[in-house]
Amino acid sequence: QDDGKQTIGVANFLLSGPYFSGMDKAIAAQAKKKGNVEVISTDANGDAAKLASNVEDLLSKNVDAIIISGGPLESAPAALNAIKQAGKPVVLVDRKFATGEYTSWIGPDNKAIGVQNGQFLAKQLADGGKVGIIKGGPADNSIGLARTEGVKSVLGTAQGITLVEAPDFGNWSSDGGLSVMESLLAQHGDLKAVFCENDAMCLGAQRAIADAGKAEQIVIAGVDGQNEALKAIQDGTNYLVTGLNDADEIGSKGLDRAVEILGGAQVEKDTVVPSPMVTKENAAQYYDPNGSF
Amino acid sequence: MTVASPRLVLRGRDITAEAISAAVIVLLVVVAATTSDTFLTPVNLTNLLKQMVTTGLLAFGMLVVILTGGIDLSVGSVVAFSGILAAGLSAGLPIPVAMVVGVAAGIAFGLVNGTLVARFGLAPFVVTLASLTTIRGLAFVYSEVPVTPSDPAFLSLGSAMLGPIPLITVIMAVVFAAGGVFLSRTPAGRSIIAIGGNAETVRLAGINVRKHVILAYAISGACAGLAGVVLASRVGIAQPSVGVAFELDAIAACVIGGASLAGGRGSVRATFGGVLVLVLINNLLNLYGVQSFWQQVLKGLIIIVVILVRRK
Amino acid sequence: MTVASPRLVLRGRDITAEAISAAVIVLLVVVAATTSDTFLTPVNLTNLLKQMVTTGLLAFGMLVVILTGGIDLSVGSVVAFSGILAAGLSAGLPIPVAMVVGVAAGIAFGLVNGTLVARFGLAPFVVTLASLTTIRGLAFVYSEVPVTPSDPAFLSLGSAMLGPIPLITVIMAVVFAAGGVFLSRTPAGRSIIAIGGNAETVRLAGINVRKHVILAYAISGACAGLAGVVLASRVGIAQPSVGVAFELDAIAACVIGGASLAGGRGSVRATFGGVLVLVLINNLLNLYGVQSFWQQVLKGLIIIVVILVRRK
Amino acid sequence: MSLVLRGVTKDYAGVGVLHGIDLEGHFGEVLAVVGANGAGKSTLIKILAGAQPMSAGEMLIDGEHVRLRSPHDAHQRGIRTVYQELTLVPELSVTENLLMGDFPRRRGLIDWPAAHDRAAKLLESIGFGTIDPRTPAERLTVARQQMVEIAKALVTEPRVLILDEPSAVLSGRDLDSLFALIRRLQERGVLVIYVSHRLAEVLDLATSIVVIKDGRVIETTEPSRTSEDDLIRHMAGRKLEQIYPDRRSEPGETRLTVTGLTRAGEFDDVSFTLRAGEVVGMFGLVGSGRSELARCVFGAEPATAGSGAYGSPAEAIAAGLALVTEDRKRTGLVLGMSVRDNIALTTLKGPLIDLARQRDQIGGMIDRLGIRPAGCAPMSVEHLSGGNQQKAVLAKWLLRNPRVLLLDEPTRGVDMATRVEIYRMIDTLARDGVAVLLISSDLTEVIGASDRVLVMAHGRIVGELRSDQTSEDEVLAHSMGTLT
Ligand SMILES: Nc1ncnc2c1ncn2[C@@H]1O[C@H](COP(=O)(O)OP(=O)(O)OP(=O)(O)O)[C@@H](O)[C@H]1O
Ligand SMILES: Nc1ncnc2c1ncn2[C@@H]1O[C@H](COP(=O)(O)OP(=O)(O)OP(=O)(O)O)[C@@H](O)[C@H]1O
Ligand SMILES: O[C@@H]1[C@H](O)[C@H](O)CO[C@H]1O
Ligand SMILES: [Mg+2]
Ligand SMILES: [Mg+2]
């Protein structure tokens, strides 16, 4: 501490998703750039109690600040309490906790992303049509819910548009998106568009649509800006749009934020990272074939 | 703990399990066909044919292991590893070679599982629970992020059709047919079944028990590897996180088909029936638009009802 | 398949399993203490004490079921259901009452599992696999969204300390102590063990086998319910999605402790040892800063090594 | 004071096993039940024990109608049963197996020292005092497990004690203790129902004898009014001309040479040879190491020293050996499989098994050995009676045309008529040039069916006698170490 070196602990709830591991990497990379910041990363592997004890572990190692990447976890009051008691700052990235005290949060406006997608699709389907929605799940995942809510807030009232929500969840993964899309297609062969709560599911859905020979008929809208999705958009496929939810940017900004706080700066409590709409026109600008996510 | 009920016997073979499975399937199909407009549409039927492949392949491999009195919990992780390996290697190797290497990786994991069980006498449940963890870790170590094969030919295995039937469904059917012959007509197959009944008796009959147990796990590994390659090819993206809890459906299919987890008892045909039951349940609940968590509630209850009905 | 190796016997009791577990634990502790500065710090030790609670509670319940020759895969879902029920009810009921109801829900699920196994003779693996699915669904039916108890007192169970020891660790220790007495010194406990060895003999001795099997599942349900309540209180929020795959660690703890999944064999002390082994592995890998995916790889391998060492 | 059965019938899934059994037993009596394999003795006993419901008929105790709904029901009425199959919980101690469910307690908790004490006293009082009550049942020899089974039935003194072939695994002093025990119980007014294929001991022990054939009582008699031959005639429905064939062997080439074979803790420095065409008997008291020796020669367990043993069962089989083990349920059969699949185990040939050929071959062997019921090939082997299961094990090995046949207690639980068939078969095999080792605890058999007898005691061969020049007394004396 005297030598100006700072240690920042990262508590990941679940690393085994490309988005989350991408964010973890971005945090580490940003720390390296700074030179005097060391990062200790932990993974709770989806266990809320383990997240709490990982946080306690980090505190016992006397880290200067903690970054929590909560993923599908809705909140962690006890962990936040422990950090507060230890008098350390905590920065949340991506996931804003529903309850509990934190120092600062950096993440997307999920509802806004949904609205943006909704508006794009409304324009695309000027003549109306059926739009499928594929959710990630489970039912308690408010990030996904906010995105779908955003889409619905626009398309639900749009002229001539009907929404069909797949009953089953796509589990945020490509194979999940594929099989949910297959079921959706069996019942609604007349879909004109599909929205998925993230790109991974859209990529699976795109396969199912192609297999069903409906690539000409159905357009796709996603969220995240995952490499494969950006490429598909850039290549001019029926994958038309995604709302950028940049793991790299959020991760590195999260690290910056923690460092600023340790430096004594007065910081904004909640920072929304803008989620620009990515389409064929601007995809090249965001697509980095060597990026980690 | 229960009293034996009457059995159906055909040419000396007890076909009660098969008959009940068949009845349950017919019932599900009739209910589905009469209550849903979508069920009998070509699109939905093709969906069904595709959706049974992963569970089907895993269930056959699982059955072979279960027959020895073992269990293979690692199959979901093998699916992930083999898929991502094949996808990754397809960048530098001819696609068929990459896919064969993916399946071979599954066989290798099976050989390790089998050796730990047969050679060192460790409990199959824990061995494969540990390898579930290790192999999942290895899949992420190989690539933390999903791998998308650049050559679109990687997708052809997963999307090709033989007439109205998806190629991968044909592959699964071939596995089941060959597996049926293997278990009923070859010395190795008969030995595997007998080992599950009484390994010591089999050993004293001069049969190499270890070799056959290892073979059983290798078969399961091969099926899981194949399922992983097929899935990656079908989705077009190989993910290290895929396949979590796949072992559960595979085991459920075997048991719905009347296999005994104590070993020695189980039928290829009835296991296939078990796969159909699971796939039909999922399909039906989706067609009816049942909410995801109510689907879970009902799926569990239906499984209970099915095994209550087909109970000996 | 292996030759029996020498056994350690103390006053007529075979303590080989306990002795080997103890040796493994001592080894892990010595390695940890000498190679990591952090391991012996009070904070880390407290952490260890807390980390063992969930797995510990589940492992004890699991052991009781395993002793009967069964298995309970539903515990992770029960953790979720009981936690969210207790948190939800705490809005209207006194917190202790809400918590007791949460545990009672676990018992109720256990009774259903046990009845399906004992009364209807269904395979425990599939019964509890099905109830795993159904109960998980019910947790979401109860509340789709996480429940945060408004009264901060809900958190006190999870955070209170008795001197240097967390209250929840004390609770777990009491469960193990009482459980040890139950299994070794009460007729019901002995009957449960005997049932796993040979249910028919127990029935012939005029002991109600069904009742005891149901009791075993109820105990597992109670432990899972308690673990769920404790977890919700410790995390401060109850989520219907928690507890996935918790059953695996619980089973692993029992088997590392030498329990036989065929039933009749298993020790409370050695199971606790198994819990310690798992918790120590996790803690060590964390202390050494091993990357998450490599942690999984190593965890699986270490489990294999441990059961190889303690193999009979 | 009596127990009466009237018109008891039993069928399994429509197949009749018992057809109207009438039977009367008085307290203070030893009622023997004899009959061929599959006659229905064990089934009858399961009904008496409350373990199986009767399909029709009635049961009266002291003139009062009783319906047994469960074994527990039977226990409550003082009826205790020692089954043909061992029923101990292997993992649990002898004490616990004995007292199961009825432990001495202190402050609500089981008092283990007191429990062990009680178990030790019980074992002592019935003459089985050498068994340590703290030992897990699975670590006892089969014979000792059988004694524990008997002790278990006596924890609370029964009014009716049913013993289904208790002597099949006992020999020497253990057998004497059992007989003494039965006599003591009889004197105390217990009704002992005793099932055995060993007719000599039946005639010695019983006060009355019931012969069952094909599920019917065909004779009720007393020892004084009958003879072994008589009983056999009733059981088999025909007269058995001669029990043991005349052995007149001219041994050929040496087929097996065992030299200095040792397996630490089991047997020590054993040497013997088996030659083509001879039948060598091997006698010893229970625990003398005969089974271990046979298993070791066959390659099932490794030897510590010496030569003559094979490296694995596969090697032994390839060299023409066959081993019929002493415990058919644990090491001879795969219980869940059909009779056919069991018999096929030693002759699996690939790549594809010729099912038609297999069916013919095995059908022929089933006919040759007269395995009952007819057409049992697709039946689950666990539904066969004990004796027929034993024949199925034999069939499995005979299918391989072995050159050396190791038989460990091949007639355990086998009825007299079938025994005679087995002796004849052994004789025929030997005449065809097979070398046979016949391990048996039945003195008469071991001398009667062999050319020479090896006697084992404490893991060593302590004597070799020519069968036509020795006596039961002499062999027994060798085995007890009173002669050298
Ligand atoms: N559960 C069952 N299902 C069908 N048949 C059975 C069953 N149990 C016994 N049997 C048949 O009942 C008949 C009588 O069997 P039981 O065991 O009573 O004979 P046993 O006289 O005791 O013969 P052994 O001397 O060989 O022990 C046999 O033919 C047997 O195959
Ligand atoms: N008195 C005894 N009590 C318990 N175990 C014994 C006793 N004597 C020998 N043994 C054990 O019995 C085993 C040898 O028994 P084995 O089965 O080979 O003998 P056997 O002569 O074939 O008798 P059995 O008729 O029981 O088969 C050895 O493991 C030995 O340690
Ligand atoms: O915001 C993230 C990403 O969209 C990811 O794809 C799934 O989890 C959410 O938390
Ligand atoms: Mg019998
Ligand atoms: Mg023997």
PDB file of all heavy atoms in Angstrom, chain C residues 184-187 190 194 197-198 201 204 206 265, chain D residues 71-72 75 87-88 91-92 96 109-110 112 138 152:
ATOM      1  N   SER C 184     -25.714 -44.637  15.614  1.00  0.00           N
ATOM      2  CA  SER C 184     -24.989 -45.706  16.307  1.00  0.00           C
ATOM      3  C   SER C 184     -25.715 -46.215  17.547  1.00  0.00           C
ATOM      4  O   SER C 184     -25.484 -47.336  17.974  1.00  0.00           O
ATOM      5  CB  SER C 184     -23.586 -45.232  16.692  1.00  0.00           C
ATOM      6  OG  SER C 184     -23.693 -44.214  17.657  1.00  0.00           O
ATOM      7  N   ARG C 185     -26.614 -45.412  18.079  1.00  0.00           N
ATOM      8  CA  ARG C 185     -27.151 -45.796  19.385  1.00  0.00           C
ATOM      9  C   ARG C 185     -28.665 -45.929  19.454  1.00  0.00           C
ATOM     10  O   ARG C 185     -29.187 -46.233  20.530  1.00  0.00           O
ATOM     11  CB  ARG C 185     -26.697 -44.785  20.454  1.00  0.00           C
ATOM     12  CG  ARG C 185     -25.195 -44.630  20.621  1.00  0.00           C
ATOM     13  CD  ARG C 185     -24.557 -45.760  21.401  1.00  0.00           C
ATOM     14  NE  ARG C 185     -25.139 -45.981  22.691  1.00  0.00           N
ATOM     15  CZ  ARG C 185     -24.786 -45.370  23.823  1.00  0.00           C
ATOM     16  NH1 ARG C 185     -23.839 -44.464  23.791  1.00  0.00           N
ATOM     17  NH2 ARG C 185     -25.366 -45.661  24.958  1.00  0.00           N
ATOM     18  N   THR C 186     -29.370 -45.645  18.369  1.00  0.00           N
ATOM     19  CA  THR C 186     -30.822 -45.801  18.464  1.00  0.00           C
ATOM     20  C   THR C 186     -31.289 -46.930  17.553  1.00  0.00           C
ATOM     21  O   THR C 186     -30.686 -47.189  16.515  1.00  0.00           O
ATOM     22  CB  THR C 186     -31.585 -44.518  18.051  1.00  0.00           C
ATOM     23  OG1 THR C 186     -31.415 -44.327  16.644  1.00  0.00           O
ATOM     24  CG2 THR C 186     -31.072 -43.303  18.795  1.00  0.00           C
ATOM     25  N   PRO C 187     -32.362 -47.593  17.956  1.00  0.00           N
ATOM     26  CA  PRO C 187     -32.896 -48.673  17.107  1.00  0.00           C
ATOM     27  C   PRO C 187     -33.239 -48.182  15.712  1.00  0.00           C
ATOM     28  O   PRO C 187     -32.955 -48.880  14.731  1.00  0.00           O
ATOM     29  CB  PRO C 187     -34.150 -49.105  17.863  1.00  0.00           C
ATOM     30  CG  PRO C 187     -33.862 -48.763  19.289  1.00  0.00           C
ATOM     31  CD  PRO C 187     -33.057 -47.497  19.244  1.00  0.00           C
ATOM     32  N   ARG C 190     -30.008 -47.872  13.721  1.00  0.00           N
ATOM     33  CA  ARG C 190     -29.462 -49.189  13.371  1.00  0.00           C
ATOM     34  C   ARG C 190     -30.306 -49.850  12.289  1.00  0.00           C
ATOM     35  O   ARG C 190     -29.788 -50.506  11.398  1.00  0.00           O
ATOM     36  CB  ARG C 190     -29.408 -50.115  14.601  1.00  0.00           C
ATOM     37  CG  ARG C 190     -28.533 -49.660  15.745  1.00  0.00           C
ATOM     38  CD  ARG C 190     -27.190 -49.161  15.339  1.00  0.00           C
ATOM     39  NE  ARG C 190     -26.366 -50.172  14.697  1.00  0.00           N
ATOM     40  CZ  ARG C 190     -25.188 -49.907  14.139  1.00  0.00           C
ATOM     41  NH1 ARG C 190     -24.692 -48.681  14.153  1.00  0.00           N
ATOM     42  NH2 ARG C 190     -24.497 -50.857  13.565  1.00  0.00           N
ATOM     43  N   ALA C 194     -29.122 -51.317   8.759  1.00  0.00           N
ATOM     44  CA  ALA C 194     -29.358 -52.729   8.441  1.00  0.00           C
ATOM     45  C   ALA C 194     -30.147 -52.875   7.146  1.00  0.00           C
ATOM     46  O   ALA C 194     -29.888 -53.778   6.351  1.00  0.00           O
ATOM     47  CB  ALA C 194     -30.094 -53.406   9.597  1.00  0.00           C
ATOM     48  N   GLY C 197     -28.072 -52.967   4.268  1.00  0.00           N
ATOM     49  CA  GLY C 197     -27.314 -54.207   4.155  1.00  0.00           C
ATOM     50  C   GLY C 197     -28.163 -55.331   3.591  1.00  0.00           C
ATOM     51  O   GLY C 197     -27.742 -56.067   2.711  1.00  0.00           O
ATOM     52  N   ASN C 198     -29.370 -55.458   4.092  1.00  0.00           N
ATOM     53  CA  ASN C 198     -30.252 -56.529   3.638  1.00  0.00           C
ATOM     54  C   ASN C 198     -31.669 -56.235   4.126  1.00  0.00           C
ATOM     55  O   ASN C 198     -32.048 -56.588   5.231  1.00  0.00           O
ATOM     56  CB  ASN C 198     -29.745 -57.874   4.180  1.00  0.00           C
ATOM     57  CG  ASN C 198     -30.521 -59.044   3.599  1.00  0.00           C
ATOM     58  OD1 ASN C 198     -31.637 -58.876   3.096  1.00  0.00           O
ATOM     59  ND2 ASN C 198     -29.934 -60.216   3.655  1.00  0.00           N
ATOM     60  N   THR C 201     -33.990 -59.151   5.363  1.00  0.00           N
ATOM     61  CA  THR C 201     -33.711 -59.650   6.706  1.00  0.00           C
ATOM     62  C   THR C 201     -34.330 -58.749   7.756  1.00  0.00           C
ATOM     63  O   THR C 201     -34.887 -59.215   8.753  1.00  0.00           O
ATOM     64  CB  THR C 201     -32.186 -59.704   6.914  1.00  0.00           C
ATOM     65  OG1 THR C 201     -31.660 -60.652   6.010  1.00  0.00           O
ATOM     66  CG2 THR C 201     -31.846 -60.090   8.335  1.00  0.00           C
ATOM     67  N   LEU C 204     -37.903 -59.361   7.933  1.00  0.00           N
ATOM     68  CA  LEU C 204     -38.187 -60.618   8.626  1.00  0.00           C
ATOM     69  C   LEU C 204     -38.018 -60.473  10.131  1.00  0.00           C
ATOM     70  O   LEU C 204     -38.607 -61.212  10.902  1.00  0.00           O
ATOM     71  CB  LEU C 204     -37.270 -61.738   8.106  1.00  0.00           C
ATOM     72  CG  LEU C 204     -37.537 -62.169   6.664  1.00  0.00           C
ATOM     73  CD1 LEU C 204     -36.551 -63.230   6.233  1.00  0.00           C
ATOM     74  CD2 LEU C 204     -38.963 -62.684   6.513  1.00  0.00           C
ATOM     75  N   GLY C 206     -39.175 -58.259  11.736  1.00  0.00           N
ATOM     76  CA  GLY C 206     -40.362 -57.576  12.243  1.00  0.00           C
ATOM     77  C   GLY C 206     -40.211 -56.073  12.312  1.00  0.00           C
ATOM     78  O   GLY C 206     -41.017 -55.387  12.930  1.00  0.00           O
ATOM     79  N   ARG C 265     -23.162 -49.281   4.516  1.00  0.00           N
ATOM     80  CA  ARG C 265     -21.806 -48.989   4.921  1.00  0.00           C
ATOM     81  C   ARG C 265     -21.576 -47.492   4.832  1.00  0.00           C
ATOM     82  O   ARG C 265     -21.788 -46.893   3.777  1.00  0.00           O
ATOM     83  CB  ARG C 265     -20.849 -49.678   3.953  1.00  0.00           C
ATOM     84  CG  ARG C 265     -19.765 -50.501   4.571  1.00  0.00           C
ATOM     85  CD  ARG C 265     -18.955 -51.137   3.465  1.00  0.00           C
ATOM     86  NE  ARG C 265     -19.623 -52.322   2.939  1.00  0.00           N
ATOM     87  CZ  ARG C 265     -19.385 -53.548   3.409  1.00  0.00           C
ATOM     88  NH1 ARG C 265     -18.497 -53.751   4.352  1.00  0.00           N
ATOM     89  NH2 ARG C 265     -20.022 -54.578   2.920  1.00  0.00           N
TER      90      ARG C 265
ATOM     91  N   PRO D  71     -43.880 -62.388   8.416  1.00  0.00           N
ATOM     92  CA  PRO D  71     -42.961 -63.125   9.280  1.00  0.00           C
ATOM     93  C   PRO D  71     -43.044 -62.614  10.719  1.00  0.00           C
ATOM     94  O   PRO D  71     -42.911 -63.381  11.666  1.00  0.00           O
ATOM     95  CB  PRO D  71     -41.586 -62.803   8.680  1.00  0.00           C
ATOM     96  CG  PRO D  71     -41.862 -62.445   7.271  1.00  0.00           C
ATOM     97  CD  PRO D  71     -43.199 -61.796   7.260  1.00  0.00           C
ATOM     98  N   HIS D  72     -43.308 -61.325  10.834  1.00  0.00           N
ATOM     99  CA  HIS D  72     -43.412 -60.764  12.165  1.00  0.00           C
ATOM    100  C   HIS D  72     -44.560 -61.407  12.932  1.00  0.00           C
ATOM    101  O   HIS D  72     -44.445 -61.729  14.115  1.00  0.00           O
ATOM    102  CB  HIS D  72     -43.616 -59.254  12.050  1.00  0.00           C
ATOM    103  CG  HIS D  72     -43.511 -58.540  13.351  1.00  0.00           C
ATOM    104  ND1 HIS D  72     -42.374 -58.604  14.131  1.00  0.00           N
ATOM    105  CD2 HIS D  72     -44.387 -57.774  14.030  1.00  0.00           C
ATOM    106  CE1 HIS D  72     -42.571 -57.895  15.220  1.00  0.00           C
ATOM    107  NE2 HIS D  72     -43.777 -57.378  15.184  1.00  0.00           N
ATOM    108  N   HIS D  75     -43.409 -64.615  14.142  1.00  0.00           N
ATOM    109  CA  HIS D  75     -42.546 -64.435  15.318  1.00  0.00           C
ATOM    110  C   HIS D  75     -43.389 -64.250  16.569  1.00  0.00           C
ATOM    111  O   HIS D  75     -43.115 -64.827  17.616  1.00  0.00           O
ATOM    112  CB  HIS D  75     -41.640 -63.214  15.144  1.00  0.00           C
ATOM    113  CG  HIS D  75     -40.598 -63.391  14.096  1.00  0.00           C
ATOM    114  ND1 HIS D  75     -39.656 -62.444  13.823  1.00  0.00           N
ATOM    115  CD2 HIS D  75     -40.359 -64.421  13.251  1.00  0.00           C
ATOM    116  CE1 HIS D  75     -38.879 -62.871  12.844  1.00  0.00           C
ATOM    117  NE2 HIS D  75     -39.298 -64.072  12.485  1.00  0.00           N
ATOM    118  N   THR D  87     -29.466 -65.173   5.539  1.00  0.00           N
ATOM    119  CA  THR D  87     -30.201 -63.909   5.545  1.00  0.00           C
ATOM    120  C   THR D  87     -29.557 -62.868   6.448  1.00  0.00           C
ATOM    121  O   THR D  87     -30.206 -61.905   6.831  1.00  0.00           O
ATOM    122  CB  THR D  87     -31.649 -64.120   6.031  1.00  0.00           C
ATOM    123  OG1 THR D  87     -31.585 -64.541   7.398  1.00  0.00           O
ATOM    124  CG2 THR D  87     -32.368 -65.168   5.224  1.00  0.00           C
ATOM    125  N   LEU D  88     -28.294 -63.058   6.800  1.00  0.00           N
ATOM    126  CA  LEU D  88     -27.679 -62.083   7.706  1.00  0.00           C
ATOM    127  C   LEU D  88     -27.415 -60.763   6.971  1.00  0.00           C
ATOM    128  O   LEU D  88     -27.288 -60.732   5.753  1.00  0.00           O
ATOM    129  CB  LEU D  88     -26.362 -62.629   8.237  1.00  0.00           C
ATOM    130  CG  LEU D  88     -26.474 -63.927   9.030  1.00  0.00           C
ATOM    131  CD1 LEU D  88     -25.097 -64.382   9.489  1.00  0.00           C
ATOM    132  CD2 LEU D  88     -27.401 -63.751  10.228  1.00  0.00           C
ATOM    133  N   GLU D  91     -22.837 -56.472   6.724  1.00  0.00           N
ATOM    134  CA  GLU D  91     -22.001 -55.416   7.299  1.00  0.00           C
ATOM    135  C   GLU D  91     -22.088 -55.368   8.823  1.00  0.00           C
ATOM    136  O   GLU D  91     -21.220 -54.795   9.476  1.00  0.00           O
ATOM    137  CB  GLU D  91     -22.418 -54.040   6.775  1.00  0.00           C
ATOM    138  CG  GLU D  91     -22.257 -53.842   5.274  1.00  0.00           C
ATOM    139  CD  GLU D  91     -23.463 -54.330   4.482  1.00  0.00           C
ATOM    140  OE1 GLU D  91     -24.371 -54.944   5.098  1.00  0.00           O
ATOM    141  OE2 GLU D  91     -23.495 -54.120   3.262  1.00  0.00           O
ATOM    142  N   LEU D  92     -23.151 -55.923   9.367  1.00  0.00           N
ATOM    143  CA  LEU D  92     -23.382 -55.746  10.806  1.00  0.00           C
ATOM    144  C   LEU D  92     -22.730 -56.851  11.628  1.00  0.00           C
ATOM    145  O   LEU D  92     -22.502 -57.964  11.150  1.00  0.00           O
ATOM    146  CB  LEU D  92     -24.883 -55.705  11.083  1.00  0.00           C
ATOM    147  CG  LEU D  92     -25.649 -54.576  10.396  1.00  0.00           C
ATOM    148  CD1 LEU D  92     -27.101 -54.574  10.865  1.00  0.00           C
ATOM    149  CD2 LEU D  92     -25.016 -53.223  10.658  1.00  0.00           C
ATOM    150  N   GLU D  96     -25.477 -57.604  16.466  1.00  0.00           N
ATOM    151  CA  GLU D  96     -26.576 -56.849  15.891  1.00  0.00           C
ATOM    152  C   GLU D  96     -27.492 -57.735  15.064  1.00  0.00           C
ATOM    153  O   GLU D  96     -28.711 -57.576  15.065  1.00  0.00           O
ATOM    154  CB  GLU D  96     -25.997 -55.726  15.041  1.00  0.00           C
ATOM    155  CG  GLU D  96     -27.039 -54.732  14.708  1.00  0.00           C
ATOM    156  CD  GLU D  96     -26.478 -53.358  14.466  1.00  0.00           C
ATOM    157  OE1 GLU D  96     -25.256 -53.198  14.401  1.00  0.00           O
ATOM    158  OE2 GLU D  96     -27.295 -52.451  14.335  1.00  0.00           O
ATOM    159  N   LEU D 109     -30.891 -45.096  24.831  1.00  0.00           N
ATOM    160  CA  LEU D 109     -29.902 -45.418  23.807  1.00  0.00           C
ATOM    161  C   LEU D 109     -29.431 -46.870  23.944  1.00  0.00           C
ATOM    162  O   LEU D 109     -29.448 -47.436  25.038  1.00  0.00           O
ATOM    163  CB  LEU D 109     -28.714 -44.473  23.910  1.00  0.00           C
ATOM    164  CG  LEU D 109     -29.050 -43.005  23.660  1.00  0.00           C
ATOM    165  CD1 LEU D 109     -27.798 -42.144  23.811  1.00  0.00           C
ATOM    166  CD2 LEU D 109     -29.655 -42.819  22.276  1.00  0.00           C
ATOM    167  N   ILE D 110     -29.022 -47.419  22.815  1.00  0.00           N
ATOM    168  CA  ILE D 110     -28.562 -48.809  22.829  1.00  0.00           C
ATOM    169  C   ILE D 110     -27.310 -48.932  23.701  1.00  0.00           C
ATOM    170  O   ILE D 110     -26.368 -48.157  23.561  1.00  0.00           O
ATOM    171  CB  ILE D 110     -28.259 -49.282  21.400  1.00  0.00           C
ATOM    172  CG1 ILE D 110     -29.531 -49.227  20.553  1.00  0.00           C
ATOM    173  CG2 ILE D 110     -27.684 -50.692  21.410  1.00  0.00           C
ATOM    174  CD1 ILE D 110     -29.295 -49.444  19.071  1.00  0.00           C
ATOM    175  N   TRP D 112     -24.327 -50.884  24.016  1.00  0.00           N
ATOM    176  CA  TRP D 112     -23.598 -51.875  23.226  1.00  0.00           C
ATOM    177  C   TRP D 112     -22.859 -52.913  24.056  1.00  0.00           C
ATOM    178  O   TRP D 112     -22.919 -54.110  23.739  1.00  0.00           O
ATOM    179  CB  TRP D 112     -22.665 -51.209  22.222  1.00  0.00           C
ATOM    180  CG  TRP D 112     -23.417 -50.680  21.037  1.00  0.00           C
ATOM    181  CD1 TRP D 112     -23.594 -49.379  20.675  1.00  0.00           C
ATOM    182  CD2 TRP D 112     -24.151 -51.456  20.081  1.00  0.00           C
ATOM    183  NE1 TRP D 112     -24.391 -49.291  19.556  1.00  0.00           N
ATOM    184  CE2 TRP D 112     -24.738 -50.544  19.168  1.00  0.00           C
ATOM    185  CE3 TRP D 112     -24.373 -52.817  19.921  1.00  0.00           C
ATOM    186  CZ2 TRP D 112     -25.534 -50.974  18.097  1.00  0.00           C
ATOM    187  CZ3 TRP D 112     -25.162 -53.232  18.852  1.00  0.00           C
ATOM    188  CH2 TRP D 112     -25.726 -52.326  17.959  1.00  0.00           C
ATOM    189  N   GLU D 138     -20.100 -60.708   7.669  1.00  0.00           N
ATOM    190  CA  GLU D 138     -19.476 -61.037   6.390  1.00  0.00           C
ATOM    191  C   GLU D 138     -18.074 -61.613   6.556  1.00  0.00           C
ATOM    192  O   GLU D 138     -17.529 -62.183   5.630  1.00  0.00           O
ATOM    193  CB  GLU D 138     -19.419 -59.794   5.497  1.00  0.00           C
ATOM    194  CG  GLU D 138     -18.568 -58.680   6.070  1.00  0.00           C
ATOM    195  CD  GLU D 138     -18.791 -57.346   5.343  1.00  0.00           C
ATOM    196  OE1 GLU D 138     -19.331 -57.367   4.234  1.00  0.00           O
ATOM    197  OE2 GLU D 138     -18.430 -56.303   5.913  1.00  0.00           O
ATOM    198  N   LYS D 152     -29.918 -66.824  15.942  1.00  0.00           N
ATOM    199  CA  LYS D 152     -30.865 -65.736  15.791  1.00  0.00           C
ATOM    200  C   LYS D 152     -32.294 -66.192  16.040  1.00  0.00           C
ATOM    201  O   LYS D 152     -33.110 -65.465  16.611  1.00  0.00           O
ATOM    202  CB  LYS D 152     -30.741 -65.218  14.351  1.00  0.00           C
ATOM    203  CG  LYS D 152     -31.206 -63.831  14.144  1.00  0.00           C
ATOM    204  CD  LYS D 152     -30.840 -63.408  12.723  1.00  0.00           C
ATOM    205  CE  LYS D 152     -32.078 -63.005  11.979  1.00  0.00           C
ATOM    206  NZ  LYS D 152     -31.778 -62.635  10.589  1.00  0.00           N
TER     207      LYS D 152
END
